[in-house]
Each structure stands twice: as structure tokens, then as C-alpha cells.
Amino acid sequence: MPRTAFANQIAINALVLLGTALGCARPATEPCAPVAIVAPPPTVAAIVTARPTAVTPPPVAAPQPVVSLASWREGSTKQRIQNFVREVSEAGNAHYLPPEQRIAVFDNDGTLWSEQPLYFQFVFALERVRGLLDKDPVLAKKPWAAALKRDGLKAHLDEKALIEIVTASEAGLATDEFREIAQRWLSEARHPRFARSYTELTFLPMLELIGYLRQNSFKVYIVSGGSVQFMRAFAERVYGVPPEQVIGSAMVTKYQLRAGKGELVADPQLAFIDDGPGKATAIDRIIGKRPVFIAGNSDGDFEMLEYGTAANQPSLGIIVHHDDEAREFAYDRASHVGKLDRALAAAPFKQWLVVSMKSDFAEVYAPAH
Amino acid sequence: MPRTAFANQIAINALVLLGTALGCARPATEPCAPVAIVAPPPTVAAIVTARPTAVTPPPVAAPQPVVSLASWREGSTKQRIQNFVREVSEAGNAHYLPPEQRIAVFDNDGTLWSEQPLYFQFVFALERVRGLLDKDPVLAKKPWAAALKRDGLKAHLDEKALIEIVTASEAGLATDEFREIAQRWLSEARHPRFARSYTELTFLPMLELIGYLRQNSFKVYIVSGGSVQFMRAFAERVYGVPPEQVIGSAMVTKYQLRAGKGELVADPQLAFIDDGPGKATAIDRIIGKRPVFIAGNSDGDFEMLEYGTAANQPSLGIIVHHDDEAREFAYDRASHVGKLDRALAAAPFKQWLVVSMKSDFAEVYAPAH
């Protein structure tokens, strides 16, 4: 529904004369449109495409600084990202995509924040469940209980034990209860090497990239292996990504009435692991659109990258390569956390852009304050 | 982030002087904001809250007529809906909710369109699978195959058979393939009683209600028992609800490469049934927020209504009651399709608003053209 510049100008003038609040409601999640000047009887088509008028209140966001990717070093990596975004956003460009197709998906661990020496959610789960051992006789009898109690984060635990511990950290809690517990932990816990809160260990260039995409009308999702409830505990504050744009692994939940209030309470059982092909499944199920901007850092992102980039549409897949031992960590093919082997080998053939944290990031984290 | 009227006026004038395109990109799914006038170095907080600037192109939606609920008869039902929407949208009102909390969920079958004499998706599935019997030896051997072949829509089929037929109608197809098949069927099939396409049998007052909520910055979701892929085949065109705001039952899908392109292909197996407590589970998992406007028509919506309305927040639950045999259908407690018993009995105690199609709807469907 394009409009001429003249019609736009009339609408702008009318709005100014009317003293109407400009734009759309602040965190509104639907497109906005000017308030109607006249109200002819609406057609069915007009009804279903109606947009917020935001007559009350005038919750207009403050003017936004243009996100500049200032923490990316100049060079071919930054250039390729900017070129892609410009091409798909530019009317008339052969690669132009309408905004509703500008779906961006970001892995979280290792892509938006660090994941060494251990996935941050594992640290949370190990600490929380260690604290539960004395109160919960069922947990206390688990084969891994003694090692966890004795050695804490240094305990040798196999994958089965880790999954049981992660599920135990959510089990029995309603959504809001878990979110509060996770938020409290995030506000208190500090990373062993950097002595900063975990949410400060988000990559400044990637935060800029999210902002840059959003300013170009991309809808930004997190699609990551972490628990959806854990990630929602900080995604809105840290990334500006609201709960409904966070996709993750999920527990089996049961609907219960607690004091007359309906709650979803987690069973000690995983319903879905959002990793590998599961990421493509979740994107199809929940978003229902093929993403065109895909960012990951490990083999767990392979299918998501392939799903978005192998289709007959403009797309950009990027892989954040951890090659900066001095400022962060250096690992790939041999790592237990964030293993990057198959996707790194495939990158040149699939034209996925490998981002070197050492070379392409002018800053890794925001300066400590 | 409220702004003074004076600051708003300055921003408006500056924008007009700059001749900047007004508002946000048309189907953009993120809030919009004026283009930056000056660009100070952004803070991290500013980066993550950055909003689309929509510098190119100027795809501004046409002015919207105010949705008037014209097809609702005047009376206490309409008044209660309007009061609720006004209260939660009005700054300073004790029941005010910020736009990001204005989540509305609508059941589809029986709430947004008719569902008699048979759920429309069942009609689709029965017709499609009947046509597959000659080509698919596995289907041809099913215990229900002979009855389906002989009697078509009139075949006596138990619930197990119906579920097998619905899953068979999607199985083996990639998402886009299925969507095309469903769209073709929807464009050709006609309802036996009304001789109109099924998507014309959407309730005009409910379409107006969706538009009215959207104009008041509600984010509108479909949360219904139909298959998510089937509903996505028409939800955007008919309701203006994009794929990522459609939640439904879902098949197990497998990620596959087909001719080098990643596809999600359905297995003949249901992964999730979006009904009853499952609706609350899906809302928590996918939206991650408690809805405040909940519309349903059957006992399958009970938990969704309870989940949204029993919390400590302003909310409105409505039940569409099919009591108009002349213009549509009349059924409730004893119906096999859209059974409404428990929720109808609970409505007065839970303060759910029962909408009488006979008394409250001035029109049921849009006039045939």
C-alpha cells in the first residue's frame, strides 16, 4: 500500500494541525499508521488490516541515534553485512525484501554472549541445584549428587547428568517464579575470569548489529539452545528482544491452578531441545517464515544457517569465530562447549560469513563501568 | 519513556522540515520512531532499544478508518468490550496496561469462523485424503479407507480415524507445499449450506473486534486447535494475523534437504494438540506473556480463558455463544463440534462475557458480493 509523497505531506500536516501524537505506541508490536482524519465505513479488507491509531496515550519513543556498528573494525566483514542490509532494505534494489520478510535469528551462547568456560545457564543450574540438594531428598539421591555437592562447578558430570541438573533447576516452578530466580542470580553472579556479571559479557558489536537490523525493520529473534524461560529472564533488558521473540529449549509444563490463578509449572522433563535441526523445526513451527539473516557460532547452528541461506532468496549467514584468546577465548573444532567444525568447513562453500572476533571486533564487551 | 507535548511538537516540526517519511515501515513488526536528527554516540541501552528508522522506502500505510464495531448491536455486551479496551488503553486509568501487555488471543473454529456441520479443516482433510486413497497403498489399507472412499464427508469416523486423516493430509509435505494445497482448496471449496467459500464464513463482528483491538495497540494472536500450517494458509489474508502470531496444533516435522534447499517435512504424527490446557501451555511457551483479552467459544478454551482472567491484572474473557439457528447454527452443551458446557456454566462466576450471536451480532457474515 505505497503512498505518494504528496499524500504523505497532507497527512503530516493534518496530524500536526490536529496536534496528534506522532507515530505508534512505544513498544507496540504492530505497524503504526496515522489517526484517521475521516471515517468512511470500513471495508472488510480495511478492518483486518487496521493498525494501531495510538490516540491515547502519546507514548512516543525518544529519537533514536543511528546505530553505527562502531565496534566493528572497517573491512570486508563489516562491509558485507552493511551491503546485505542495504540491499534488502532499499526500494527498487533487485534484492529488496519487504519488512515482513526481514526475519533475523540469533543463536545466544557464543554468538551474543560468551559461553566459556561453561555455558552460563549451566553455571546457574549447577549453583541452584547444589543449593537444593539439602532440601530435596529426590535430588540428593541422584548419582551425580555427591560430586556436585563436593566439587560444585568443577564436578565431572556427563551429558545425562548435566541435562538432569538443568531440568531440576526449573522443575516445580511456575514461569514467573523461575524468571525471578534467574534474574536474581544474573544480578548477583560474576564470571570467574572477568569478574563481571554475565549479562555484561554480551558482545558489543553484536548488540550494535541487533540494533542496526532493527533500525532497518528486521524482526529480531533469539533461537538458541538455552531454556526459553532462562533467556527471557534477560533478553528484553539486554537485547531489547521481547519474550515472544525468544525461542529456546523448553520443559514439559503442566497447567495448574495455584491459589485460583492459572500457572504453567515445569515438570522435570525436557519437551524440546532447540539445537541442530531442532532450530529449523522451531523456526518453522513458531515463526512460520524462513529467516534471511542468521547468526550462529557452532555446529548446532548448521541447519539453521542452511535453512535460511540455501533458499531462493537474498540472505546472509554469519558465524562468530572465537579466535581471540587475549580478549575472550579461542576455540573451535576441538571444543566441548560451542564446538565449531562442520559449519566452519562448510562456510566457504555455503558463503557463510566467518566473523573473526580478533580481527573484526574493535571492542568485544562494552567498557566496564 | 514518556515525552512532553512540547518535545513531541519539536520532533514533529523537525520531521516535517526534513520532509522525512512519517511513521514506520508498513508491515514492520517492531515499534517505530522518528529518524534521528543528530547522532550522539549511542549507549548500550540506546543500541538495544533502537527502533526502525525506515529511511528507505517510505512504505507508510494508508490512513485507517476507525474500526467502529458497526456489526455489533448496541447494548451491554458491546459496551463492556469498549469499556475494557478504553480502560486498558487510556493513560492514567487505574486499569491502564502498557501496549506490550496488550496480548489478545482468539480461538479460530467457532470463534472467528463457523465450525458446523464439521470443522472446516476436517472437510479439507477428508476431501484431500479421499483423493489420495487411490495413489497411496498405505492409506488405502487403513481401517477407515473403505468408508471414506464410499461416503466421503458423510462417513462415520471415530476420533482416532479423524486424527489419522488430518495427519495424513499434511504428512510428507514441506511447509510451503502444504500451504499452497490448503490455499487452493480454500479458494475452490464451498460450504454446503451457505454456498460460500469457507473464508467468507468468518464473523464480521469478530473481524471488527480484531481490528478494533489492533487499533488500540493490542497484539492479536490466533490460538486454536486447527493445524498451525492450515491456519497460516489464510490467517494473514483474512484476519491480518501474520504467521508468527498463529499458534495451533502441529505435526512432527523433520528437517530435510530437498534439491539443496532445507525444508521442514511433516511426519504422519501429531507433535502437539493445541486444545484445553494445551492452549495455556502454548501461550506460555511461545508468547511468554499472559493474555489479557481472550476469546473462545467452547470448553476447549476453558483453561485459556482461566489463565488470562484469573490473574491479578485487568482482563476480559469472552465466549461466543452459537444461539442463532436462523443466521448460523445453534448448539452448545450437547454438540459434538464446539461443545460448550463447562465454560458456559462457569461464565457467570468467572465474569466471562457471553456473546449471543443472535442478540449481539447485527450481522453474522459480511454481505455476499
PDB file of all heavy atoms in Angstrom, chain A residues 37-52:
ATOM      1  N   ILE A  37      -8.455  10.721   9.633  1.00  0.00           N
ATOM      2  CA  ILE A  37      -8.968  12.087   9.609  1.00  0.00           C
ATOM      3  C   ILE A  37     -10.481  12.037   9.399  1.00  0.00           C
ATOM      4  O   ILE A  37     -11.244  12.723  10.044  1.00  0.00           O
ATOM      5  CB  ILE A  37      -8.297  12.892   8.468  1.00  0.00           C
ATOM      6  CG1 ILE A  37      -6.785  12.692   8.464  1.00  0.00           C
ATOM      7  CG2 ILE A  37      -8.680  14.357   8.568  1.00  0.00           C
ATOM      8  CD1 ILE A  37      -6.093  13.061   9.745  1.00  0.00           C
ATOM      9  N   VAL A  38     -10.875  11.227   8.445  1.00  0.00           N
ATOM     10  CA  VAL A  38     -12.299  11.000   8.233  1.00  0.00           C
ATOM     11  C   VAL A  38     -12.525   9.503   8.388  1.00  0.00           C
ATOM     12  O   VAL A  38     -11.594   8.718   8.268  1.00  0.00           O
ATOM     13  CB  VAL A  38     -12.745  11.421   6.813  1.00  0.00           C
ATOM     14  CG1 VAL A  38     -12.716  12.928   6.689  1.00  0.00           C
ATOM     15  CG2 VAL A  38     -11.872  10.766   5.760  1.00  0.00           C
ATOM     16  N   ALA A  39     -13.745   9.116   8.645  1.00  0.00           N
ATOM     17  CA  ALA A  39     -14.002   7.701   8.873  1.00  0.00           C
ATOM     18  C   ALA A  39     -15.112   7.176   7.981  1.00  0.00           C
ATOM     19  O   ALA A  39     -16.257   7.087   8.381  1.00  0.00           O
ATOM     20  CB  ALA A  39     -14.348   7.467  10.337  1.00  0.00           C
ATOM     21  N   PRO A  40     -14.754   6.840   6.734  1.00  0.00           N
ATOM     22  CA  PRO A  40     -15.755   6.215   5.876  1.00  0.00           C
ATOM     23  C   PRO A  40     -16.050   4.815   6.413  1.00  0.00           C
ATOM     24  O   PRO A  40     -15.232   4.267   7.138  1.00  0.00           O
ATOM     25  CB  PRO A  40     -15.048   6.139   4.522  1.00  0.00           C
ATOM     26  CG  PRO A  40     -13.598   6.066   4.863  1.00  0.00           C
ATOM     27  CD  PRO A  40     -13.430   6.849   6.132  1.00  0.00           C
ATOM     28  N   PRO A  41     -17.180   4.228   6.064  1.00  0.00           N
ATOM     29  CA  PRO A  41     -17.458   2.874   6.545  1.00  0.00           C
ATOM     30  C   PRO A  41     -16.344   1.940   6.064  1.00  0.00           C
ATOM     31  O   PRO A  41     -16.042   1.904   4.879  1.00  0.00           O
ATOM     32  CB  PRO A  41     -18.790   2.512   5.878  1.00  0.00           C
ATOM     33  CG  PRO A  41     -19.353   3.797   5.372  1.00  0.00           C
ATOM     34  CD  PRO A  41     -18.198   4.717   5.150  1.00  0.00           C
ATOM     35  N   PRO A  42     -15.712   1.228   6.970  1.00  0.00           N
ATOM     36  CA  PRO A  42     -14.581   0.409   6.549  1.00  0.00           C
ATOM     37  C   PRO A  42     -15.021  -0.829   5.783  1.00  0.00           C
ATOM     38  O   PRO A  42     -16.067  -1.393   6.056  1.00  0.00           O
ATOM     39  CB  PRO A  42     -13.942   0.010   7.875  1.00  0.00           C
ATOM     40  CG  PRO A  42     -15.037   0.117   8.886  1.00  0.00           C
ATOM     41  CD  PRO A  42     -15.983   1.163   8.388  1.00  0.00           C
ATOM     42  N   THR A  43     -14.221  -1.229   4.829  1.00  0.00           N
ATOM     43  CA  THR A  43     -14.444  -2.498   4.150  1.00  0.00           C
ATOM     44  C   THR A  43     -13.867  -3.607   5.014  1.00  0.00           C
ATOM     45  O   THR A  43     -13.120  -3.351   5.949  1.00  0.00           O
ATOM     46  CB  THR A  43     -13.717  -2.515   2.795  1.00  0.00           C
ATOM     47  OG1 THR A  43     -12.312  -2.392   3.081  1.00  0.00           O
ATOM     48  CG2 THR A  43     -14.150  -1.362   1.917  1.00  0.00           C
ATOM     49  N   VAL A  44     -14.203  -4.851   4.684  1.00  0.00           N
ATOM     50  CA  VAL A  44     -13.641  -5.977   5.436  1.00  0.00           C
ATOM     51  C   VAL A  44     -12.119  -5.950   5.342  1.00  0.00           C
ATOM     52  O   VAL A  44     -11.412  -6.120   6.329  1.00  0.00           O
ATOM     53  CB  VAL A  44     -14.196  -7.323   4.927  1.00  0.00           C
ATOM     54  CG1 VAL A  44     -13.457  -8.483   5.575  1.00  0.00           C
ATOM     55  CG2 VAL A  44     -15.685  -7.425   5.243  1.00  0.00           C
ATOM     56  N   ALA A  45     -11.612  -5.686   4.144  1.00  0.00           N
ATOM     57  CA  ALA A  45     -10.154  -5.636   3.972  1.00  0.00           C
ATOM     58  C   ALA A  45      -9.545  -4.557   4.864  1.00  0.00           C
ATOM     59  O   ALA A  45      -8.514  -4.765   5.497  1.00  0.00           O
ATOM     60  CB  ALA A  45      -9.796  -5.379   2.515  1.00  0.00           C
ATOM     61  N   ALA A  46     -10.215  -3.413   4.952  1.00  0.00           N
ATOM     62  CA  ALA A  46      -9.700  -2.325   5.788  1.00  0.00           C
ATOM     63  C   ALA A  46      -9.739  -2.723   7.251  1.00  0.00           C
ATOM     64  O   ALA A  46      -8.845  -2.392   8.025  1.00  0.00           O
ATOM     65  CB  ALA A  46     -10.513  -1.055   5.565  1.00  0.00           C
ATOM     66  N   ILE A  47     -10.763  -3.450   7.636  1.00  0.00           N
ATOM     67  CA  ILE A  47     -10.889  -3.859   9.033  1.00  0.00           C
ATOM     68  C   ILE A  47      -9.731  -4.767   9.434  1.00  0.00           C
ATOM     69  O   ILE A  47      -9.081  -4.558  10.445  1.00  0.00           O
ATOM     70  CB  ILE A  47     -12.235  -4.592   9.263  1.00  0.00           C
ATOM     71  CG1 ILE A  47     -13.384  -3.584   9.181  1.00  0.00           C
ATOM     72  CG2 ILE A  47     -12.245  -5.287  10.619  1.00  0.00           C
ATOM     73  CD1 ILE A  47     -14.740  -4.225   9.069  1.00  0.00           C
ATOM     74  N   VAL A  48      -9.467  -5.769   8.608  1.00  0.00           N
ATOM     75  CA  VAL A  48      -8.450  -6.732   9.033  1.00  0.00           C
ATOM     76  C   VAL A  48      -7.043  -6.177   8.905  1.00  0.00           C
ATOM     77  O   VAL A  48      -6.130  -6.713   9.512  1.00  0.00           O
ATOM     78  CB  VAL A  48      -8.570  -8.101   8.316  1.00  0.00           C
ATOM     79  CG1 VAL A  48      -9.929  -8.710   8.591  1.00  0.00           C
ATOM     80  CG2 VAL A  48      -8.272  -7.999   6.857  1.00  0.00           C
ATOM     81  N   THR A  49      -6.871  -5.121   8.132  1.00  0.00           N
ATOM     82  CA  THR A  49      -5.536  -4.542   8.052  1.00  0.00           C
ATOM     83  C   THR A  49      -5.409  -3.305   8.933  1.00  0.00           C
ATOM     84  O   THR A  49      -4.413  -2.611   8.869  1.00  0.00           O
ATOM     85  CB  THR A  49      -5.181  -4.163   6.601  1.00  0.00           C
ATOM     86  OG1 THR A  49      -6.168  -3.247   6.135  1.00  0.00           O
ATOM     87  CG2 THR A  49      -5.142  -5.379   5.695  1.00  0.00           C
ATOM     88  N   ALA A  50      -6.413  -3.046   9.760  1.00  0.00           N
ATOM     89  CA  ALA A  50      -6.375  -1.867  10.638  1.00  0.00           C
ATOM     90  C   ALA A  50      -5.136  -1.904  11.522  1.00  0.00           C
ATOM     91  O   ALA A  50      -4.719  -2.953  11.984  1.00  0.00           O
ATOM     92  CB  ALA A  50      -7.634  -1.822  11.496  1.00  0.00           C
ATOM     93  N   ARG A  51      -4.580  -0.737  11.735  1.00  0.00           N
ATOM     94  CA  ARG A  51      -3.340  -0.628  12.512  1.00  0.00           C
ATOM     95  C   ARG A  51      -3.595   0.247  13.731  1.00  0.00           C
ATOM     96  O   ARG A  51      -4.557   1.008  13.753  1.00  0.00           O
ATOM     97  CB  ARG A  51      -2.237  -0.010  11.636  1.00  0.00           C
ATOM     98  CG  ARG A  51      -1.917  -0.839  10.395  1.00  0.00           C
ATOM     99  CD  ARG A  51      -1.527  -2.238  10.782  1.00  0.00           C
ATOM    100  NE  ARG A  51      -1.309  -3.085   9.607  1.00  0.00           N
ATOM    101  CZ  ARG A  51      -1.321  -4.408   9.657  1.00  0.00           C
ATOM    102  NH1 ARG A  51      -1.556  -5.039  10.786  1.00  0.00           N
ATOM    103  NH2 ARG A  51      -1.104  -5.128   8.580  1.00  0.00           N
ATOM    104  N   PRO A  52      -2.706   0.183  14.723  1.00  0.00           N
ATOM    105  CA  PRO A  52      -2.939   0.989  15.921  1.00  0.00           C
ATOM    106  C   PRO A  52      -3.020   2.473  15.583  1.00  0.00           C
ATOM    107  O   PRO A  52      -2.252   2.980  14.774  1.00  0.00           O
ATOM    108  CB  PRO A  52      -1.712   0.727  16.782  1.00  0.00           C
ATOM    109  CG  PRO A  52      -1.157  -0.550  16.294  1.00  0.00           C
ATOM    110  CD  PRO A  52      -1.487  -0.613  14.826  1.00  0.00           C
TER     111      PRO A  52
END
